[in-house]
Amino acid sequence: MTQIKDIDRSLYDFKDDESDFYRLQEGLTEETVRRISGEKHDPAWMLEHRLRSLELYNKIPVPDWGPSIDGLDMDHISSYVRANTDMKGTWEEVPEDIRNTFEKLGIPQAERRSLAGVGAQYDSELVYHNVREEVAQQGVVYTDMESALTGEYADMVREHFMKLVPPSDHKFAALHGAVWSGGSFVYVPKNVKVEIPLQSYFRLNAKGAGQFEHTLIIVDEGADLHFIEGCSAPKYNVANLHAGCVELYVSKGARLRYSTIENWSKNMYNLNTKRAVVEEDARMEWVSGSFGSHVSYLYPTTILKGDRSYCEFTGITFAGNGQNLDTGAKMIHIGKDTSSYINSKSVSKDGGISTYRSSIQIAKSAKGSKSTVDCASLMLDDISRSDTIPAMDIRTMDADVGHEAKIGRISDEAVFYLMSRGIDEAQARAMIVSGFADSVSKELPLEYAAEMNNLIRLEMENT
Amino acid sequence: MKKRTVNHIPALTWNALRVNGAVIEETPALHPEKTAGFGKLPEGVSCREISFAEALEWLAAAAPEEKPEAVVAGKVPIYHPQAFATGLGAEFDELLEEGGCRVELLEIEDNVRLTEPVHRNLDFEGEGNTFVTILHVGKNAEAVILLDETGRDAENAGAYISTKAVLEEGARLTLVKAQMLGKGRKCFDDTGASLLKDASFSFIRMDLGEGDVYAGVQAELVGKDASFDAKTAYIGRGTQTIDLGYNAVLRGPRTKAEMLFNGVLGGHASKTLRFTIDFRRGAKASLGEEKENLLVLGDDVGIKTMPIILCGEEDMEGHHGATIGQLDEEMLFYMASRGIDRKEAERLMVRARLDTVLRTVPEGGFRTGIAKYTERALEA
Amino acid sequence: MSGPLLQVSDLSAGIEGAELLHHIDLTIREGETHVLMGPNGAGKSTLGNTLMGNPAYHVTGGRIFFGGEDITELGADKRAAMGMFMSFQNPLEIPGLSLESFIRNAIRISTGKPLKIFQFKKQLEAAMEILQMDASYVERDLNVGFSGGEKKKAEILQLLMLDPKLAILDETDSGLDVDAVRTVSRGIEEYQKERGGALLVITHSTRILDSLHVDRTHVLVKGRIAETGGAELVDEINRGGFERFTEE
């Protein structure tokens, strides 16, 4: 048996000195929340929202069903760390050390090549934001969340902010509501098709910190957008927390694709909440790759509200040593003739735990609906775990629901076949895993697909 | 009245979905009076009555050792300790024990192969409404046990059935439970089995009655080459609740578990089905397969399904498939092209679903009886 | 001679918004055998399915008459009861329902009369003999675990048992080896010659036609009947393929 080594994380593990950064006291009190709000010059309703969320946060218990989050000590997590820099519009203005971080991650290069706009968040604040002129001219708004609160679209933001994911949803949604900071606001006007993707990149650099960015995207009627989100953090010995929130509104006849490659360091508690509501004849597409973090709770939820609305979710989760990744999707069918497709893959190795968890709910109103789930899991050794925990709740006869799940290992025959063609065993196994992930990687933009294959290769081979 | 949770799943999920277990607010009165018993038994088979406490002690010795941390490792722990694992779970055992139930211990000696099935009618018209049995199938022994659960419509009546089977090396047991209880009877039917090396347990369940049902099965495949095969058919109609929890735990190498659920749901009925294949580390070269086919014929139904696969072993293969819905257009057209209209096509399909399971029941009067009951149910 | 058995006039039809058949005229009289040939994607199966009333296909123009009655709006079960039959390219599988029970139910329901079991059994045996089907097939679940050839045989068995006036055979010979084609042909021959049944044979090869008497041949290209002729057209296609018909 070939020894499969852990990923070489040097690519993501560089860290910057945070000595001169402004840092709040650890723990979470009303005082902290008021201070954050003051720092951010929140409108009054937002301070109120934060305080209400804090109250809920203190009331709601931690989940009793998923991976254990005992390692996360909320009393000792500074909820707010901000780099000493304001947001910049060109990379040259971003402080050199932070810029270097993003250079290493390849963000400015990618922007020049193939992105319509980029936002880069460093710890709690957006440090860079830029939209291509031709895209801005189409009326597309892509800005940081703080400016959006007071800018031209303030009313729109207020109308939608945490309406899809109310703070009462669960403990970490409440936490997010209380201490959120940074993130992006995107508005695509009616019938505007954004030809090239917009991207946000989140980088959590500080030790023992939390990142609580809020992403709010509104795609108006008949419009079309692809949004890419990337996340990474260096490794510290202290637990970090990511409790972001993504709210997506896909209006009538619109289409939104939301792609994520998440590669947080393996001390991260990734308790992220993502939700979309899809109106008539609109289409939502999730593409999700989860490679990093120590513990993840991640289940993008889609509310198929409008008749004939459509959603597909394509995801892969790769759990290695020390990782407990609980991922999946939720689909809620409400409109008539709605359809949802879930295609999920997971790989477990080196004692990693991956769990596919999903729920499909089909309301009585969702006549003519269709839902298909296809999930496959691969076990690479016998010290790892892979669990599949789907739930379906159907309230109408006029629905067509199919569910397929498969679990297995790399077949010896397949390895032998490749080896008989002169490929060594490690490579053969890596090829098989890449092939297993193929249905996900082919949904990603080229350089992300390359990044994902790279991550798989790093995980599989000793390079 | 104490709330009890039965049919809890081994790995919890979102509480808001209300599928983590069936919460029973109130249970109809329990009558542990003596019932008819197994009657005359063939040679090599004996039956004696023991207390519930004695039974638990007897069973604990036969149960596999369970380490709490091995149960869905990595999740928030939800371990429910039970002397001998069953589908309905520990809280149902508690209910029986508190109700003063006695236990019949039916033992089949080593190497005894019964040529005729042992048939017992669980008649709920009588005084008692509890049937608590332990089946001990000796080494290389073979038996077929047929239980039909009957009773006319009644007001808030209970039916309490618990069957625990211990299969020694090479033992083969076929257990058939045909539930044909009338309206107003709430049926709790629990099954647990532990299988040693080469043992095989074939479980057939048909829920054809008109009352609410909570039925659970847990099979522990402890020994090498042990195999478990479960086939279940149910029809839900009226305002029935059907709540099923099946759990196959594969521990030994080369063990095999197969589960099939064929259901039909109409009227205002609701069903919850939780079924788990749990591959424990060490279950090398094991296989698990679960399949659900549900035909939906009414628009006011409630359907909850949780097909779970848990896995801590690399060398295994697990598969789950489910199709839920009404008859699809393609099938209807195929039928129609042979002159069969929608209504008739539905009847044929309902019958086909039930027949797939019914035909695995050993032939004879027992099967004919179920077939007749099924026909009557379908006519209605 | 009475009126035609099947009359299709100016029929246009398609699937999900796309029109695949345009202005088809076709007349089949009792006992006649018509062959419908054409390259892949010409719309052959669309015609078969539209005639049989597959709800996935929509008539966008024209009418279909069977035995003088307008059946354009009729459901497939009604068409079957009137004496139409179609053998499927991909017959469906039904676990729990045996082949015999399916046929018995189909006869009972479509004729609306109780079945004479003894007579039924005898007919079934005879039909299976012609198709060289093992007696065990009747007990097996409909098409479950059947090979491609066995499924096609089971379709022809249903044809013989249901004894329709017109049978549409949709690519019945596709995917069969030489022996299987011969056996299936024997069943179709029985239907054609002994029962005097009319046939619309949809095929893109000609193997199945070797042992059949052919009255008319239609060549379907891009949803239109490009040419109609006698049996000699089959030989011509056999030699030259569809090239002549597809040239613009």
Side-chain angles (χ1 to χ4, degrees):
Chain A
M1 172 67 79
T2 322
Q3 192 64 36
I4 298 167
K5 287 274 167 62
D6 203 19
I7 184 172
D8 169 9
R9 296 191 53 90
S10 62
L11 194 62
Y12 302 95
D13 266 354
F14 49 87
K15 42 196 151 188
D16 305 326
D17 186 1
E18 52 163 319
S19 57
D20 60 341
F21 294 164
Y22 177 93
R23 205 172 159 127
L24 273 174
Q25 268 184 304
E26 296 178 335
L28 187 57
T29 58
E30 184 178 328
E31 200 195 329
T32 312
V33 172
R34 282 185 183 279
R35 196 134 108 232
I36 293 168
S37 189
E39 285 283 328
K40 299 190 144 311
H41 310 291
D42 275 347
W45 69 268
M46 184 55 81
L47 172 63
E48 223 172 277
H49 170 92
R50 288 182 189 277
L51 293 173
R52 211 172 47 242
S53 301
L54 176 67
E55 225 173 277
L56 285 164
Y57 170 75
N58 287 324
K59 260 190 239 157
I60 303 174
V62 294
D64 61 358
W65 42 265
S68 161
I69 50 168
D70 287 350
L72 191 64
D73 183 354
M74 288 308 299
D75 295 337
H76 294 94
I77 288 189
S78 314
S79 51
Y80 182 61
V81 178
R82 188 182 61 153
N84 272 333
T85 174
D86 294 323
M87 194 182 56
K88 301 295 189 282
T90 66
W91 283 108
E92 285 67 38
E93 296 169 69
V94 176
E96 201 183 343
D97 48 349
I98 295 177
R99 191 172 71 230
N100 284 342
T101 304
F102 284 105
E103 290 276 356
K104 281 184 215 162
L105 293 166
I107 306 305
Q109 297 91 317
E111 180 186 7
R112 283 193 290 272
R113 249 193 344 265
S114 57
L115 296 171
V118 164
Q121 175 153 344
Y122 194 86
D123 293 343
S124 291
E125 297 297 331
L126 226 54
V127 292
Y128 174 81
H129 225 291
N130 186 32
V131 188
R132 278 196 192 186
E133 203 168 318
E134 63 265 34
V135 175
Q137 270 171 4
Q138 285 180 297
V140 175
V141 179
Y142 182 24
T143 172
D144 66 289
M145 223 30 237
E146 277 83 358
S147 341
L149 272 182
T150 51
E152 194 184 339
Y153 290 87
D155 289 344
M156 193 188 269
V157 172
R158 185 173 179 177
E159 202 183 307
H160 293 91
F161 186 88
M162 290 200 87
K163 291 296 192 306
L164 256 183
V165 183
S168 56
D169 216 67
H170 56 86
K171 191 169 188 76
F172 296 95
L175 174 65
H176 177 91
V179 303
W180 76 270
S181 173
S184 307
F185 169 70
V186 180
Y187 172 71
V188 185
K190 272 187 191 168
N191 300 319
V192 168
K193 313 249 184 253
V194 184
E195 303 287 342
I196 36 180
L198 291 181
Q199 159 154 20
S200 256
Y201 204 92
F202 304 110
R203 169 78 181 172
L204 188 51
N205 197 60
K207 175 178 169 181
Q211 179 156 346
F212 308 97
E213 86 290 347
H214 195 95
T215 305
L216 174 60
I217 299 178
I218 298 167
V219 186
D220 215 331
E221 290 181 13
D224 191 319
L225 174 71
H226 182 185
F227 192 86
I228 303 171
E229 172 199 270
C231 324
S232 76
K235 169 102 178 168
Y236 290 100
N237 295 325
V238 186
N240 275 20
L241 169 63
H242 176 229
C245 179
V246 175
E247 296 183 287
L248 310 173
Y249 294 85
V250 191
S251 315
K252 198 171 157 182
R255 168 184 173 265
L256 172 61
R257 168 171 282 227
Y258 195 93
S259 305
T260 309
I261 289 285
E262 177 269 299
N263 190 32
W264 294 117
S265 68
K266 291 177 181 176
N267 63 328
M268 178 68 89
Y269 283 80
N270 183 33
L271 311 169
N272 214 2
T273 310
K274 298 181 176 182
R275 203 162 294 174
V277 61
V278 190
E279 305 288 344
E280 249 174 76
D281 296 303
R283 189 180 167 99
M284 176 70 215
E285 301 162 9
W286 301 94
V287 183
S288 177
S290 297
F291 291 85
S293 83
H294 170 52
V295 166
S296 266
Y297 279 69
L298 182 63
Y299 328 96
T301 302
T302 310
I303 302 164
L304 293 153
K305 182 168 165 242
D307 293 351
R308 296 170 303 281
S309 54
Y310 171 101
C311 178
E312 64 181 44
F313 172 89
T314 312
I316 184 160
T317 296
F318 199 123
N321 185 18
Q323 293 184 282
N324 191 343
L325 308 184
D326 205 286
T327 61
K330 292 191 198 182
M331 298 285 178
I332 301 164
H333 292 252
I334 292 168
K336 285 190 190 67
D337 300 315
T338 47
S339 38
S340 68
Y341 298 89
I342 295 178
N343 175 8
S344 156
K345 308 263 168 161
S346 73
V347 183
S348 311
K349 73 177 269 279
D350 284 349
I353 301 170
S354 76
T355 303
Y356 166 78
R357 187 185 300 275
S358 66
S359 80
I360 306 287
Q361 289 169 277
I362 299 184
K364 201 171 173 183
S365 56
K367 306 267 180 258
S369 289
K370 191 175 158 59
S371 165
T372 305
V373 176
D374 200 333
C375 62
S377 314
L378 201 53
M379 284 281 285
L380 297 186
D381 54 49
D382 61 3
I383 54 168
S384 304
R385 266 200 84 80
S386 177
D387 296 333
T388 306
I389 310 175
M392 288 165 257
D393 184 342
I394 303 154
R395 304 295 172 94
T396 172
M397 72 185 283
D398 194 5
D400 179 1
V401 180
H403 178 101
E404 286 278 335
K406 267 201 299 276
I407 180 160
R409 60 164 178 164
I410 294 180
S411 92
D412 294 337
E413 244 173 273
V415 174
F416 170 68
Y417 178 76
L418 292 175
M419 287 173 75
S420 77
R421 299 295 181 262
I423 297 158
D424 72 48
E425 189 180 333
Q427 273 188 48
R429 290 171 70 87
M431 279 171 79
I432 292 165
V433 174
S434 285
F436 177 75
D438 189 54
S439 63
V440 181
S441 47
K442 74 172 193 253
E443 291 298 322
L444 290 164
L446 200 59
E447 53 273 32
Y448 277 80
E451 186 186 343
M452 194 178 106
N453 280 325
N454 209 22
L455 283 168
I456 290 173
R457 219 184 53 238
L458 286 167
E459 287 277 1
M460 292 298 298
E461 285 176 35
N462 182 15
T463 40
Chain B
M1 190 107 219
K2 191 181 162 190
K3 265 196 211 171
R4 294 177 203 266
T5 304
V6 297
N7 276 344
H8 55 78
I9 46 177
L12 297 182
T13 193
W14 296 291
N15 293 304
L17 295 173
R18 297 177 188 280
V19 290
N20 284 328
V23 181
I24 314 292
E25 303 271 350
E26 209 176 337
T27 43
L30 197 133
H31 303 290
E33 287 80 359
K34 195 164 164 47
T35 50
F38 277 97
K40 193 178 174 298
L41 291 165
E43 206 170 322
V45 185
S46 63
C47 187
R48 65 192 161 102
E49 208 183 84
I50 54 177
S51 76
F52 207 91
E54 282 172 314
L56 289 182
E57 209 173 304
W58 191 95
L59 285 162
E65 197 191 333
E66 185 74 294
K67 295 185 201 82
E69 66 273 15
V71 186
V72 284
K75 309 279 189 305
V76 175
I78 49 150
Y79 185 57
H80 301 266
Q82 194 179 10
F84 185 90
T86 62
L88 288 182
E91 294 185 23
F92 183 65
D93 267 354
E94 253 171 51
L95 176 75
L96 297 178
E97 190 170 16
E98 284 165 20
C101 288
R102 303 276 296 169
V103 181
E104 286 170 286
L105 173 60
L106 185 86
E107 296 197 86
I108 301 162
E109 286 169 24
D110 291 356
N111 303 311
V112 170
R113 300 191 174 181
L114 299 181
T115 45
E116 289 292 310
V118 175
H119 173 206
R120 179 166 175 191
N121 175 227
L122 308 186
D123 177 18
F124 289 91
E125 301 276 335
E127 294 272 291
N129 65 0
T130 64
F131 292 85
V132 184
T133 316
I134 297 173
L135 307 172
H136 182 207
V137 190
K139 273 186 196 164
N140 299 314
E142 254 184 66
V144 174
I145 294 179
L146 310 174
L147 304 174
D148 46 350
E149 306 162 6
T150 55
R152 287 189 299 266
D153 295 358
E155 195 91 4
N156 193 31
Y160 298 91
I161 303 142
S162 163
T163 316
K164 289 164 182 155
V166 174
L167 281 72
E168 304 289 352
E169 284 186 12
R172 306 176 73 82
L173 172 66
T174 299
L175 175 64
V176 182
K177 289 183 163 184
Q179 182 271 115
M180 299 177 283
L181 293 165
K183 275 196 196 95
R185 293 194 187 263
K186 201 175 250 183
C187 174
F188 294 88
D189 191 344
D190 196 18
T191 307
S194 102
L195 287 76
L196 293 186
K197 186 168 159 257
D198 292 321
S200 113
F201 179 37
S202 171
F203 179 76
I204 300 164
R205 176 169 186 90
M206 299 196 72
D207 276 299
L208 306 166
E210 293 182 80
D212 293 350
V213 188
Y214 297 85
V217 186
Q218 176 139 338
E220 296 276 349
L221 285 73
V222 184
K224 199 166 87 181
D225 289 302
S227 73
F228 171 56
D229 176 67
K231 290 192 172 63
T232 300
Y234 61 88
I235 350 177
R237 52 208 188 278
T239 55
Q240 254 181 303
T241 295
I242 295 179
D243 195 291
L244 305 173
Y246 284 51
N247 198 358
V249 186
L250 289 83
R251 296 169 186 273
R254 292 208 308 265
T255 46
K256 195 173 160 192
E258 274 181 88
M259 296 193 255
L260 168 75
F261 300 88
N262 269 358
V264 179
L265 210 61
H268 313 277
S270 62
K271 77 98 203 189
T272 303
L273 169 62
R274 312 170 186 84
F275 48 133
T276 304
I277 288 189
D278 186 353
F279 292 98
R280 296 294 173 83
R281 196 163 151 194
K284 295 231 172 283
S286 290
L287 293 175
E289 175 103 32
E290 17 181 57
K291 180 130 197 67
E292 179 187 18
N293 300 307
L294 172 58
L295 182 60
V296 190
L297 297 177
D299 204 26
D300 195 30
V301 294
I303 301 160
K304 289 184 181 181
T305 293
M306 289 218 60
I308 301 175
I309 300 178
L310 305 174
C311 179
E313 169 58 50
E314 179 220 7
D315 184 7
M316 51 71 227
E317 230 179 277
H319 184 256
H320 161 82
T323 48
I324 298 170
Q326 48 186 349
L327 275 187
D328 65 54
E329 288 297 326
E330 215 187 337
M331 181 62 81
L332 282 171
F333 175 56
Y334 187 60
M335 292 276 199
S337 77
R338 304 296 183 254
I340 302 168
D341 63 21
R342 187 188 185 105
K343 213 174 143 55
E344 290 286 353
E346 281 175 355
R347 290 165 66 99
L348 281 179
M349 292 307 281
V350 169
R351 198 157 310 180
R353 298 285 162 110
L354 299 176
D355 276 354
T356 309
V357 175
L358 182 60
R359 70 164 68 135
T360 61
V361 173
E363 296 218 35
F366 185 75
R367 179 153 98 187
T368 316
I370 306 174
K372 276 192 185 141
Y373 185 91
T374 309
E375 284 305 315
R376 276 205 306 275
L378 290 177
E379 290 308 315
Chain C
M1 177 107 192
S2 57
L5 183 60
L6 177 81
Q7 185 161 17
V8 175
S9 66
D10 199 29
L11 180 72
S12 297
I15 192 164
E16 269 175 32
E19 197 177 276
L20 303 170
L21 285 178
H22 321 287
H23 309 290
I24 302 289
D25 290 305
L26 177 69
T27 304
I28 300 177
R29 295 179 187 280
E30 267 174 37
E32 281 184 356
T33 294
H34 289 231
V35 176
L36 183 70
M37 301 188 78
N40 283 333
K44 301 191 296 292
S45 286
T46 303
L47 181 57
N49 276 286
T50 306
L51 294 181
M52 195 66 222
N54 187 337
Y57 294 81
H58 305 291
V59 173
T60 51
R63 314 299 300 171
I64 307 165
F65 299 90
F66 188 76
E69 249 181 82
D70 186 344
I71 60 163
T72 318
E73 311 292 333
L74 232 48
D77 56 313
K78 299 282 186 324
R79 297 184 199 205
M82 289 172 75
M84 287 178 79
F85 177 89
M86 182 170 96
S87 85
F88 281 50
Q89 262 194 67
N90 302 305
L92 279 81
E93 299 179 6
I94 307 182
L97 184 62
S98 72
L99 176 58
E100 179 182 338
S101 161
F102 179 60
I103 295 175
R104 230 175 34 213
N105 275 290
I107 295 175
R108 179 181 60 79
I109 294 160
S110 59
T111 59
K113 283 181 223 142
L115 207 70
K116 296 194 182 76
I117 290 291
F118 182 71
Q119 196 187 341
F120 170 79
K121 288 263 187 201
K122 251 174 59 184
Q123 283 171 359
L124 189 64
E125 262 172 47
M128 289 181 70
E129 169 115 30
I130 293 167
L131 293 165
Q132 295 180 339
M133 289 175 88
D134 191 86
S136 66
Y137 273 93
V138 293
E139 294 297 327
R140 287 176 60 182
D141 286 350
L142 185 62
N143 294 323
V144 177
F146 284 25
S147 71
E150 288 162 354
K151 282 184 182 172
K152 296 293 166 70
K153 280 188 194 176
E155 291 289 287
I156 301 305
L157 180 67
Q158 292 172 42
L159 163 67
L160 292 176
M161 293 305 294
L162 292 169
D163 200 21
K165 295 193 181 94
L166 170 69
I168 302 162
L169 306 183
D170 189 3
E171 304 279 6
T172 295
D173 51 346
S174 70
L176 299 187
D177 63 32
V178 185
D179 288 339
V181 170
R182 204 170 294 141
T183 315
V184 164
S185 297
R186 199 173 304 139
I188 301 169
E189 223 183 317
E190 162 81 13
Y191 167 75
Q192 184 194 46
K193 293 180 181 154
E194 303 300 321
R195 319 266 181 96
L199 280 164
L200 176 62
V201 183
I202 298 174
T203 181
H204 64 271
S205 79
T206 58
R207 292 187 304 175
I208 201 167
L209 305 174
D210 290 347
S211 58
L212 293 178
H213 164 80
V214 174
D215 293 298
R216 305 294 284 164
T217 305
H218 311 275
V219 182
L220 193 69
V221 177
K222 291 182 183 155
R224 291 173 200 277
I225 293 187
E227 190 158 326
T228 293
E232 73 288 348
L233 205 52
V234 174
D235 297 327
E236 193 195 322
I237 290 166
N238 232 347
R239 286 191 303 272
F242 295 110
E243 222 165 84
R244 175 165 81 78
F245 309 100
T246 54
E247 280 161 10
E248 294 289 321

